Amino acid sequence: MNYLSTRGDRAPRGFSDILLEGLAPDGGLYLPDHYPAVDRARLARWRALYRGGAAGGYADLAFEILSLYIGDIAPAELRALVDKTYTAATYGSDAITPLRQLEPGLYIQALSNGPTLAFKDMAMQLLGQLFEYELARRGEHLNILGATSGDTGSAAEYAMRGKRGVHVFMLSPNGRMSPFQQAQMYSLVDANIHNIAIDGVFDDCQDIVKAVSNDLDFKRRWKIGTVNSINWARLLAQVVYYFAGYFQATADDGQPVSFAVPSGNFGNVCAGHVARMMGLPIAQLVVATNENDVLDEFFRSGRYRVRGSAETYETSSPSMDISKASNFERFVFDLLGRDAARTAQLFGPGLARDGGFTLAADDRARIAGFGFVSGKSSHADRLATIRDTWNRHQDMIDTHTADGLMVARQYLQPGVPMVVLETALPVKFAATIREALGCDPLRPAALQGIEDRPKRVTVMPADARQVMDYIAANAQG
Ligand SMILES: *Cc1c(COP(=O)(O)O)cnc(C)c1O
């Protein structure tokens, strides 16, 4: 399998060539040169593999799917990496992403039982294994630099902790994450994990990452890399749980299923798109946004409009507070029949100049053929959905999952099971749970008292120079 750029670069690259990369050199995103087709016979075989009852069914399934896209890691070695990643010890159950029924035909699939209690663990844990493997193979090392306001940073740290060849420098806004999130990140005391709390807001952290990354000499000297959501390996890892969800929600392989996906950067639901392109019988991909409705606006009107910071709202589902959807270009490339020249026109310099684009009517008409529909929710909707789900089903869901469930209900179809992806556990967003239910969220036993553990964090002013000095003093290489 080779990979190409959505903006036209077709220099042949294998999986390992793009694993440690961000954007393609032409500014596009990497995609496989085709989607391997999964026919009925293969689907039946995978179902048996996953549902075989033995522990490790998820890892078996993951190995099958990843093998179709990874041609340059020997099967036995890929098998070992996958087996180390998808264990009941890490994800709390053999199902890894267990499905539970809310009502007949309406299900929740838990993607949030990994170490940081958010769905980003599903991919990031695999990325940690792949990075360590690939860096060792090349005899190289990498210093990962990132900014986080919560989920991404902690998922990256828990995936990379103790991994050889990798250091993580994660900037977070000092005192601005929930006490639980701060405790989750800052209580990691591994030598290769460096928490840097910046006196400022998330945007200050992001500006520093940009400033450091734009200093090409520094970047090269210190082998600075990232783990952001446009990384193809992350997306690929996420494809697996759509198949796992499908097998749990159905008894036979012709049955269509819909998925409702709380969306921000379009990474999660883009993996659903890939699964559908491979032939998984997905009826609808329901894109659920919060008040930051870039994606909902697009699917309703054909207009993609990037928001400025004044129009990007802080909401109670903060992991979906985005101004543009960084993976969205991948879907538009497929929608346009993989026309790289037109994709480059829409997403290249024109996007920065015009702040967006509107699809032509005939392009828009093709969206339905890809299964996409959308909706948005407000803070009041989330509170009502959390309350209703608790009162009627004694099921406590987090704010992001509430966005998904609220929108899912608008698209229920008779005879088509609807699977809502649970992207975080409620304990991460305790303040909103208290507002909705008047009680504290449930907390997994392993995380009792996490706020009282010793912390390892360095506080710094919002000054890129000081961050660079810190990296130079602590980085590998
Ligand atoms: C990251 C995240 C999302 C959004 O996922 P995208 O891939 O960016 O669309 C939704 N919910 C939670 C809890 C997240 O951490």
Side-chain angles (χ1 to χ4, degrees):
M1 175 67 77
N2 277 321
Y3 288 84
L4 45 73
S5 162
T6 52
R7 299 197 191 164
D9 185 339
R10 299 189 66 101
R13 295 177 176 89
F15 177 83
S16 301
D17 298 321
I18 65 164
L19 172 64
L20 304 171
E21 302 291 320
L23 294 174
D26 61 4
L29 304 185
Y30 288 116
L31 275 178
D33 60 13
H34 69 284
Y35 296 115
V38 178
D39 59 14
R40 279 283 187 95
R42 188 180 266 172
L43 209 53
R45 203 158 51 73
W46 287 2
R47 177 188 294 275
L49 212 54
Y50 178 63
R51 306 231 60 177
Y58 190 97
D60 293 340
L61 179 62
F63 174 70
E64 292 289 324
I65 294 173
L66 294 176
S67 296
L68 299 176
Y69 290 93
I70 303 177
D72 48 8
I73 298 179
E77 306 202 57
L78 181 60
R79 180 80 236 193
L81 297 174
V82 167
D83 284 347
K84 272 193 277 187
T85 303
Y86 296 110
T87 65
T90 301
Y91 292 97
S93 70
D94 285 335
I96 308 292
T97 59
L99 196 76
R100 59 188 193 266
Q101 180 175 300
L102 268 193
E103 302 163 12
L106 182 59
Y107 301 87
I108 292 183
Q109 185 182 2
L111 309 181
S112 44
N113 294 341
T116 74
L117 314 183
F119 95 95
K120 295 192 172 63
D121 291 328
M122 293 308 307
M124 208 72 93
Q125 288 286 318
L126 180 69
L127 207 65
Q129 298 291 350
L130 287 168
F131 271 33
E132 184 177 54
Y133 170 83
E134 183 61 22
L135 288 167
R137 177 154 84 165
R138 297 183 188 187
E140 291 177 8
H141 58 263
L142 188 68
N143 292 299
I144 293 169
L145 174 65
T148 189
S149 53
D151 293 342
T152 306
S154 56
E157 290 189 352
Y158 279 76
M160 301 296 168
R161 63 187 295 197
K163 295 285 188 295
R164 284 179 309 267
V166 185
H167 276 251
V168 177
F169 297 85
M170 192 58 65
L171 313 186
S172 52
N174 191 18
R176 287 175 189 267
M177 296 187 299
S178 76
F180 182 85
Q181 285 181 315
Q182 293 184 41
Q184 242 187 345
M185 280 182 63
Y186 302 163
S187 65
L188 286 183
V189 294
D190 305 74
N192 70 329
I193 302 298
H194 307 274
N195 286 304
I196 304 176
I198 297 291
D199 280 324
V201 295
F202 173 66
D203 283 340
D204 297 315
C205 300
Q206 216 162 21
D207 287 346
I208 294 172
V209 170
K210 273 187 208 143
V212 175
S213 304
N214 287 338
D215 186 330
L216 294 183
D217 287 336
F218 185 88
K219 198 175 162 194
R220 214 168 297 127
R221 164 71 184 86
W222 293 105
K223 302 208 178 328
I224 303 291
T226 60
V227 290
N228 50 28
S229 79
I230 56 165
N231 182 290
W232 165 255
R234 280 182 64 179
L235 213 130
L236 177 57
Q238 293 167 187
V239 172
V240 178
Y241 54 69
Y242 284 87
F243 283 87
Y246 179 80
F247 295 138
Q248 291 177 88
T250 60
D252 89 87
D253 292 319
Q255 168 71 52
V257 168
S258 293
F259 286 89
V261 189
S263 297
N265 276 316
F266 205 73
N268 194 348
V269 75
C270 195
H273 163 70
V274 171
R276 194 174 183 278
M277 297 298 278
M278 292 169 73
L280 189 67
I282 297 178
Q284 302 175 98
L285 286 165
V286 182
V287 176
T289 77
N290 62 20
E291 293 88 334
N292 296 292
D293 59 354
V294 183
L295 290 169
D296 183 44
E297 181 178 333
F298 172 79
F299 285 109
R300 285 176 190 280
S301 69
R303 169 129 187 83
Y304 181 67
R305 189 170 61 86
V306 173
R307 311 292 203 255
S309 49
E311 254 191 298
T312 306
Y313 310 111
E314 273 186 44
T315 75
S316 50
S317 45
S319 301
M320 292 154 57
D321 293 349
I322 50 102
S323 53
K324 61 180 173 49
S326 46
N327 273 291
F328 182 57
E329 181 172 337
R330 289 192 159 112
F331 166 65
V332 173
F333 179 66
D334 284 342
L335 179 72
L336 299 178
R338 299 206 138 195
D339 184 332
R342 288 186 62 208
T343 308
Q345 225 166 36
L346 295 181
F347 286 92
L351 188 65
R353 190 184 58 236
D354 306 331
F357 58 79
T358 304
L359 285 186
D362 54 334
D363 292 327
R364 232 193 112 190
R366 287 212 295 274
I367 292 176
F370 289 82
F372 279 100
V373 293
S374 73
K376 65 186 276 194
S377 70
S378 66
H379 180 66
D381 292 328
R382 288 188 279 284
L383 293 181
T385 304
I386 291 168
R387 221 174 268 140
D388 173 68
T389 308
W390 180 244
N391 289 340
R392 286 201 291 140
H393 306 293
Q394 292 74 56
D395 195 314
M396 195 183 284
I397 55 172
D398 98 293
T399 50
H400 305 76
T401 310
D403 288 316
L405 178 55
M406 141 96 191
V407 178
R409 287 191 185 282
Q410 299 163 20
Y411 289 101
L412 295 176
Q413 294 171 321
V416 182
M418 172 70 77
V419 176
V420 179
L421 299 185
E422 178 175 60
T423 55
L425 291 192
V427 65
K428 298 196 86 169
F429 305 98
T432 309
I433 296 299
R434 277 193 290 271
E435 188 181 346
L437 303 179
C439 66
D440 281 323
L442 312 168
R443 180 181 289 210
L447 296 167
Q448 299 293 349
I450 189 175
E451 289 90 341
D452 304 325
R453 291 188 198 155
K455 293 189 171 61
R456 186 160 170 270
V457 55
T458 305
V459 180
M460 250 178 242
D463 175 359
R465 194 68 254 167
Q466 289 196 38
V467 171
M468 288 160 90
D469 289 345
Y470 182 91
I471 293 173
N474 292 280
Q476 187 168 349

